Structure formats: C-alpha cells, structure tokens
Amino acid sequence: MRLIEAWTFGVAFAGYAVGLFFYVGYALSRREMWGRWGRRVLIFAVGCQIVSLVTRVMAARTVFGQNWYVPWSNWFESFSFFAFLIVVGFLLIETSSSLPILGVFVVPFAGLALLMSFIEPLLSGQASIVRAADLGLLLSSARAIPQLPPALQSYWMAVHVPAMFVAYAAFTNAFGLGLAYLIQERQIKSRRPAEFIYRLPSLEELDRLIYKVIFLAFPVLTLGIILGARWAYEAWGRYWGWDPKETWALITWLIYLAYLHVRLAGGWRGRRTAYFALFGFAVVLFTYVGVNYLSVLHGFLSGVGR
Amino acid sequence: MKKLLLIGVSHKTAQVERRERLSLSEAALPDFLGRISGAPAVAEAVVLSTCNRLEVYVLTESPSAARELIEKELAARWGEGAPPWYVREDLAAVRHLFHVAAGLDSLVIGEGEILGQVKRAYEAALGARGTGKFTNVLFQRALYVGKLVRAETRISEGATSSASVAVSLAGKIFGDLTEKNILIVGAGKMAELSARNLLSQKAARLTVANRTLDKATELAGPLGGRAVPLEDLPEELLVADIVICSTGAPTPLVRAADVRDIMARRRGRALFFIDIAVPRDVESEVNGIENVYLYNIDDLQAIVSETVGRRRSEIEKATLLADRKAEEFCRCCESWQAGRPAPFAHSDFLSRSSVGGPAADATFLE
C-alpha cells in the first residue's frame, strides 16, 4: 500500500514537471499539440495523485488504525494537497477558457508547492543535506505518515481544511493570471510590445478570468471560515477567539471582499485589480504558512502548537 | 516527354501601370484560359492572375509551339513592344510556383492572400477542364507547400500594415471586437482604411466625428455608421472603445486632463487611441492614464518594420524549404513517368501540427 502511495506520488510529481515542460514548449513553439499534451499529462498526474491520496488514507487506517485520518494534516501533506488543488483549479480554468498558455503562469506554482512539501525536515532541523544520499532520507522523512494529533481527529478536519485549500488554490490561480495580466498590460503600454503579446490572451479576457476565479472562490473561503468557526466552537468552546490564524483568515477574506467590492461597485478594472489579486495571494501565503509560527492553536505545520 | 512551361509577368518585372493591362478580370479569365488550354500544343494549363502577376503554367509536348502561343496572347494584351516576361521550365517552374504559393515572390513577403489566389486559379482551370493529372498534383502540392512554409517558418507572422497592427493590438486589449464601439475623429482617407480594417473584424458600432458634418456623413453612411459634429467629442469618448484620430488639426484635440475625467466616468473600461494624424491629435501623456492605451503613427510603423524585418530574416529558411519541396516534387514526377510511382515524402510537420490537416498530403498519386 505504501509502495503504491509512494510511486503514484512520484509519478504525479514527475507529471506536473512534464506538464509544465509541455506548456513552456507550447508557449515557445505555438503548436497546439504541445498544449494538448500538457493538459493530458496534467490530468494523468492529477489522477495519480488521487490514487496516492486514497492509498495514503488506507495505509494510515490499517497501520495506525486512525479512523479520522485525512491526508492534509502535516507540512508535507498540506503542501502536496495544495499543489494538487492548484493543478485541478488550473485544469478547470483551462477547460472553460481553452487558453493553454496560462499553464506557463500557473503550473510553476504547483511545482513550487510540491517542492515546498519536502523541505519541512530541513526547516525543523531534523535533517540536513550534506551528501546526495541525504536527499532520499529527506524525502522519506518528509513523506512519513504522521500520527494525527488528537485535536485534528475530527470530521471538521475533513471539511474545514479542504474548503480553505480550495479557496487558496483558486487564489493561487488568480495570482498567476494576475501576473499574466500585468506582463501583457506593461507590454501594450510600452508601445513597443514584444511579439509574445500575441501569444497571451487579451487584457479584457484575463481581467474577466481573474474576476471569475475570485468570484467563485470567495464563497468557498467564506464557507471554510464558517466551518472553522463551528469547529472552534466544538473544540475550544468559542466561535471566534482572535487567534492569529483566525485573524489572518479574516484579513484574507476582507481583501477579496474588497476586491469584489471595488470591481462590482467601484468600477475598477485592469491593472489595479490585478495588483489586488497579487496582494491577496501574498496575504494568503502568510495566512497559510507564516501564521503557523505565530499561532499556538493552528501551529500544526510549524510544531509551535504541539 | 512532356514539359512544364511557365510564362509570366509580375511586379518584379513590370510597373503597375503596365501590369494593369495584363490583369484578367474574373469574366475575362475563362475565355483566356480556354484559348490556351484549347490549343493543340497544350496538354494542361492553369492561369494565375492577380493584381501583382499574370502567370501561365502549361504542360506541353511541344514547348516552342506552346511558348509562341502564350507569348502571342500576352503581347496582344500588353500593347506595343514585348512584355517583360520570364520563362521557366520544369524544376525552375515548379520552384517558382512554390515560391509564389509561399508568399516568397509577393510584394509583402509572406502575405496570405496569394495562397487563396493560387487556389482559385487552380479551381478555375479545374472547372474549365484545363487541368490534368500533372497540374492537379502540382497545384495541390503548391497549396500544401504554401501552408507548410508558413507553418514551419515565421515568414507570415505578424501584421505588416499600420492598420492591421492597430487591429491586432485592439484584439489584445479587448479580445472580442464584435461588441466594441469605434469612433473616428476626422474623415480622412487613412481613417477610412483603419475603420474598414476594424469593421472586417465585425466591430459593432461606428461613429464618425468631423468638423464638417457632411464629410462625416459621407464616410459613415456606406460603412453603416453614425455621423456627429466634432463638438460632441467628449460625450462620444464616454461610449467609444477604440478611437482613431486623423484630423488635420494643428494642436491636440484630445488632452490628457480631459481623458482623465472621462476615464473616471467610464468605470474602468479600457480606451484605445490610435492617433494617425500628423501633427498628433492626442497628447502623448494620455498613454500614462490607467486603462488607456495610445499608439501614434510612428509606434505603428515601428512595429510594422519590426515585423517586416523578422519576416525578411526568415526568407532564407523559407526559400530552402520551398526549393527542397520543388526538387522532391520533380523527383517524384520522374519516377512517376518512369512507371515506378514513388510517394511524396510525408513531412513531419503534418504529424506534429494541426495546421494543414492530413488531407493535404495524402492522395496525390491515386
């Protein structure tokens, strides 16, 4: 079981890299074929990672007898699940917009998230890389199936965290699109646009896509926060306690609320809203990773809380 | 042994004033074609007539008789003197046709129109039963090579006129142009050209603003647009998406301060100024305003010359490819005439790309 889990994960990881390679090839060669292959490879990799996640749960259940086991509790699991959702989000966007070129702007972040998933032992000082062989050790220690802390053995864990992650992954996509928008905008504004602007979608299209992604992700984020509050009530006896994670989740929520507000009511379009998407993502990153070092209650990734 | 013979006059050998006399109207073409392909010396014939060239391709058993016939036909249309024609045979003729189809012999290198013209010339000859086994294969192959060269090289990449650059930029700002409003300020010739170019992209509503309303009506009417006096410019700028300015005004009509006010009321909708007037109609500071894009005539021309330069650097590669395909064609024809038909080499391009489609290469020798 562990073997299937490890192998499918490896294949998925390689698949994301190969998918990105195809998208870059598509951007450079202008051959539709590359874009189609990038998509196929990503779908395959996503399938592999689903198998990997399922087998991981099954392994944890049989080996540790953990009935509430969900594969997004520690550093490694959380980042690789995040990468998985980024790619799923991208595939949805690509399907609805048929713009494979966007892969160049989004898929690298999935790759980064996957790389991030391995480095926890380095950060916590449990491992260091001196020899090449240490890399394998690092991987296996990062990928070990954790004992779920009692605080996380709850069905809320199975709904609250995925809701937050879906929203965060969508915001990552919006971030990638925002980058594409700003590059395209700057090129056209320069009056001497490089040739590649004809490869990128139009400003209006990108602007609308960013809006759509945030518009759809915002209710999911809202739901995630509400579920989290409900869980907090059951676990800690209060809905809201201004724990840093809670505070920052609220800040994230307010930023995207502000985005939707200025766009819908303020008539903002274009560059400023693209910056909003970038800024919002920076806050998401802080809420996701940075806050773990501040929050005792939510310090599951950093070890502060344990 | 039959020979392929090409006799033609093109923009490379004759000025437009003289070329005009040769060019065949669509109505005159069947007659001309009939006279050539009906001659006993000619086995198969295709006539390619565009505004830049008149070329006659014939397959013949007796080249000298065919040549005499075609030269007589051309000279009759040309008037006094002998037209500055060129004559090519066999491989050289095939090579020439492939170059023409690839846009390598065009006035604007790599232009795409010629491919359609070659296709129509072939279809006209086919319809008149002037073609045969050889010219059928030859012209279908030429169309394929034309597509191949454009797909494999960057010979036809980018826009090569100010108007088409403006249109493609508009596409990169707005995406879909069908719902956009075009405002033309000044009813000059250049404005009309750009407007026609945009309208061919099905941009929705056209408005012409001009100092004298009559002239505005004159331009707007045939294009299905609306004419307004120049005083309405501020209100029109509120609804316009693409603004083409070409007045002869000595000072800028569109000031940055005004545009700033207008943008505040447009709720962030982008505004694209194309200023082709000299002296300029739009203050250059306008480009600094958010969601406003300004290109003047120099910007557009700089992009055009960049494109042309890029295409030029691809000529060598494209020529090589067309030549290789011509040689391959002739080799196949030889084997074909020797009774050992060899198929054309399938280019790797078709298996890798969706551009040509598998039909282009498949069945020449069936």
Side-chain angles (χ1 to χ4, degrees):
Chain A
M1 197 71 84
R2 283 292 274 145
L3 212 61
I4 299 176
E5 189 265 333
W7 271 99
T8 46
F9 180 81
V11 172
F13 191 18
Y16 295 146
V18 173
L20 177 61
F21 171 76
F22 276 120
Y23 282 119
V24 172
Y26 170 78
L28 297 176
S29 74
R30 347 186 115 200
R31 294 195 193 286
E32 300 295 327
M33 207 63 156
W34 287 84
R36 279 204 293 274
W37 273 104
R39 185 186 153 76
R40 279 175 207 154
V41 170
L42 282 192
I43 290 173
F44 175 72
V46 160
C48 283
Q49 201 169 351
I50 291 174
V51 174
S52 177
L53 290 170
V54 170
T55 45
R56 196 176 174 87
V57 171
M58 285 160 71
R61 282 193 171 182
T62 49
V63 176
F64 297 107
Q66 297 189 323
N67 279 332
W68 282 115
Y69 192 84
V70 285
W72 43 75
S73 72
N74 70 354
W75 179 288
F76 163 77
E77 289 178 339
S78 129
F79 271 100
S80 54
F81 185 59
F82 185 41
F84 167 75
L85 288 176
I86 292 172
V87 175
V88 171
F90 168 70
L91 284 172
L92 291 175
I93 292 171
E94 208 261 344
T95 306
S96 72
S97 68
S98 30
L99 291 168
I101 191 74
L102 297 175
V104 180
F105 296 94
V106 176
V107 180
F109 296 105
L112 273 182
L114 272 184
L115 283 180
M116 281 292 286
S117 70
F118 295 126
I119 65 163
E120 203 273 331
L122 284 182
L123 293 181
S124 61
Q126 289 168 12
S128 58
I129 299 181
V130 184
R131 292 162 300 129
D134 291 342
L135 263 177
L137 224 64
L138 172 70
L139 289 189
S140 62
S141 71
R143 289 180 33 74
I145 295 181
Q147 280 281 350
L148 223 49
L152 297 182
Q153 293 184 19
S154 155
Y155 55 87
W156 292 110
M157 181 69 184
V159 286
H160 161 66
V161 175
M164 297 304 278
F165 269 128
V166 166
Y168 289 176
F171 294 142
T172 312
N173 274 278
F175 171 76
L177 301 182
L179 278 184
Y181 182 95
L182 289 173
I183 290 171
Q184 182 79 319
E185 206 264 354
R186 171 159 276 182
Q187 283 294 322
I188 295 178
K189 204 72 163 178
S190 75
R191 303 203 204 175
R192 294 286 183 276
E195 223 191 323
F196 67 75
I197 68 157
Y198 300 106
R199 304 290 297 145
L200 294 181
S202 67
L203 293 176
E204 207 172 285
E205 236 172 318
L206 282 170
D207 187 61
R208 218 170 15 222
L209 263 181
I210 297 169
Y211 167 69
K212 244 192 247 171
V213 170
I214 293 178
F215 180 80
L216 292 175
F218 186 73
V220 181
L221 180 70
T222 313
L223 180 73
I225 292 175
I226 292 172
L227 290 172
R230 186 75 187 81
W231 186 7
Y233 180 71
E234 284 189 10
W236 303 317
R238 85 285 186 285
Y239 284 99
W240 200 268
W242 300 107
D243 170 74
K245 193 88 167 182
E246 291 170 351
T247 311
W248 279 92
L250 180 68
I251 293 171
T252 311
W253 186 80
L254 285 173
I255 285 170
Y256 285 105
L257 180 70
Y259 168 91
L260 292 175
H261 175 75
V262 295
R263 221 198 116 102
L264 291 171
W268 282 28
R269 287 281 185 288
R271 200 159 52 104
R272 274 188 289 178
T273 48
Y275 276 127
F276 237 112
L278 262 55
F279 176 64
F281 178 66
V283 175
V284 163
L285 272 191
F286 186 73
T287 311
Y288 176 17
V289 189
V291 167
N292 286 292
Y293 295 92
L294 303 178
S295 167
V296 174
L297 293 178
H298 274 89
F300 303 114
L301 299 186
S302 62
V304 170
R306 268 172 272 165
Chain B
M1 197 78 128
K2 285 177 189 164
K3 257 184 157 2
L4 174 67
L5 181 68
L6 150 68
I7 301 179
V9 178
S10 80
H11 64 94
K12 289 196 169 159
T13 59
Q15 294 292 313
V16 62
E17 299 81 34
R18 303 301 306 266
R19 227 158 54 222
E20 275 168 359
R21 303 188 202 171
L22 279 179
S23 88
L24 290 159
S25 66
E26 232 166 278
L29 181 69
D31 198 37
F32 185 81
L33 190 64
R35 275 205 303 283
I36 287 175
S37 60
V42 173
E44 302 173 21
V46 178
V47 174
L48 172 63
S49 169
T50 74
C51 53
N52 281 328
R53 69 185 68 248
L54 177 66
E55 291 179 344
V56 184
Y57 294 86
V58 294
L59 186 72
T60 172
E61 299 252 22
S62 48
S64 53
R67 183 171 170 174
E68 202 178 310
L69 166 81
I70 295 163
E71 287 180 352
K72 215 172 76 199
E73 285 288 342
L74 291 185
R77 299 189 67 82
W78 183 260
E80 75 276 8
W85 55 53
Y86 40 83
V87 182
R88 305 263 187 286
E89 286 182 7
D90 292 338
L91 175 62
V94 173
R95 198 184 283 149
H96 183 85
L97 175 61
F98 286 6
H99 283 189
V100 168
L104 285 165
D105 202 53
S106 298
L107 205 57
V108 177
I109 298 291
E111 51 99 9
E113 218 174 320
I114 186 68
L115 203 57
Q117 289 164 334
V118 170
K119 187 168 184 220
R120 279 195 296 281
Y122 165 61
E123 282 167 354
L126 186 71
R129 296 181 179 278
T131 64
K133 203 170 178 183
F134 179 80
T135 37
N136 282 339
V137 177
L138 174 66
F139 273 80
Q140 286 176 28
R141 193 68 183 165
L143 293 174
Y144 160 76
V145 171
K147 280 185 210 155
L148 176 76
V149 168
R150 286 181 175 80
E152 288 287 285
T153 70
R154 307 166 83 177
I155 194 90
S156 57
E157 215 172 78
T160 48
S161 71
S162 304
S164 53
V165 167
V167 171
S168 53
L169 283 170
K172 282 298 138 193
I173 295 170
F174 298 108
D176 184 12
L177 296 180
T178 51
E179 291 293 303
K180 300 301 167 195
N181 300 315
I182 308 176
L183 172 64
I184 293 183
V185 185
K189 194 74 203 154
M190 277 294 276
E192 185 182 347
L193 199 69
S194 311
R196 280 187 192 281
N197 233 309
L198 280 167
L199 286 172
S200 68
Q201 309 282 314
K202 298 190 183 63
R205 287 164 291 269
L206 176 76
T207 308
V208 181
N210 198 43
R211 197 172 303 281
T212 51
L213 197 56
D214 284 353
K215 274 210 161 168
T217 320
E218 214 172 279
L219 173 58
L223 295 172
R226 195 163 56 90
V228 297
L230 199 57
E231 293 75 57
D232 290 0
L233 189 59
E235 291 84 67
E236 291 301 329
L237 283 178
L238 278 178
V239 291
D241 297 295
I242 301 164
V243 184
I244 306 168
C245 299
S246 67
T247 73
T251 54
L253 291 170
V254 180
R255 298 188 178 281
D258 302 335
V259 176
R260 216 164 266 129
D261 288 345
I262 284 162
M263 286 313 286
R265 292 160 65 194
R266 284 172 61 92
R267 299 178 57 82
R269 271 169 39 242
L271 186 56
F272 181 26
F273 284 102
I274 303 160
D275 186 2
I276 51 181
V278 180
R280 285 170 297 173
D281 279 346
V282 185
E283 278 186 351
S284 56
E285 289 78 26
V286 164
N287 194 47
I289 301 168
E290 196 175 332
N291 293 331
V292 182
Y293 305 91
L294 164 64
Y295 279 70
N296 63 37
I297 188 70
D298 285 358
D299 299 328
L300 297 177
Q301 272 164 4
I303 296 171
V304 166
S305 61
E306 245 172 66
T307 312
V308 170
R310 225 171 11 242
R311 285 189 180 191
R312 199 159 285 148
S313 67
E314 289 288 296
I315 289 180
E316 200 180 335
K317 196 171 152 200
T319 309
L320 226 64
L321 180 58
D323 287 354
R324 216 178 64 217
K325 288 289 156 188
E327 280 151 28
E328 180 198 298
F329 178 85
C330 288
R331 264 202 315 278
C332 289
C333 286
E334 275 163 28
S335 68
W336 185 22
Q337 286 187 326
R340 291 176 278 103
F344 289 120
H346 278 261
S347 175
D348 44 357
F349 136 84
L350 281 173
S351 55
R352 277 193 283 131
S353 153
S354 60
V355 179
D361 208 20
T363 55
F364 284 111
L365 290 168
E366 281 169 11

